[in-house]
Amino acid sequence: MLSKCVRSNLLKSKFQTAQLSSAVPRVKNFINGKFEDSKTTEWINLYNPATNELLCQVPQSTPEELKRAEEGAKAAFQTWKEVPIQQRQT
């Protein structure tokens, strides 16, 4: 008799294979205020934990994309830190 864990993994892998055959939405990176497609070849599947439904794929962003996102966040923070808290809440 298969253990519960092994059965779960077998079912999950069958489910993943079936789900991947259909079109799965891919999330874009948000860098410097703009959405852009990632240049990565590696994607991470995101599942609904209640149903195990494959919802979308998010990029395992490249080092260059991460660096640009970091630089953009640092630049944005220079003006954001001066915004009063009352204004940030609206």
Side-chain angles (χ1 to χ4, degrees):
M1 181 163 179
L2 293 174
S3 72
K4 191 182 238 183
C5 181
V6 171
R7 276 185 298 190
S8 174
N9 286 337
L10 286 173
L11 289 173
K12 187 174 181 182
S13 66
K14 285 181 182 177
F15 182 79
Q16 289 171 343
T17 302
Q19 287 293 324
L20 290 175
S21 63
S22 62
V24 177
R26 287 191 165 175
V27 176
K28 294 183 177 194
N29 282 329
F30 188 71
I31 300 175
N32 297 327
K34 297 177 185 171
F35 287 100
E36 59 182 57
D37 291 321
S38 177
K39 294 180 180 19
T40 190
T41 58
E42 297 182 39
W43 295 83
I44 300 166
N45 293 331
L46 291 183
Y47 295 92
N48 178 329
T51 64
N52 206 28
E53 173 190 8
L54 180 59
L55 300 174
C56 64
Q57 293 181 320
V58 295
Q60 187 170 331
S61 298
T62 65
E64 295 79 20
E65 291 167 337
L66 293 174
K67 184 69 175 164
R68 287 190 306 108
E70 176 190 16
E71 290 167 354
K74 282 182 181 178
F77 182 70
Q78 296 308 309
T79 56
W80 177 251
K81 68 181 181 181
E82 302 300 328
V83 176
I85 191 133
Q86 295 81 6
Q87 217 176 334
R88 293 182 192 183
Q89 294 176 347
T90 59

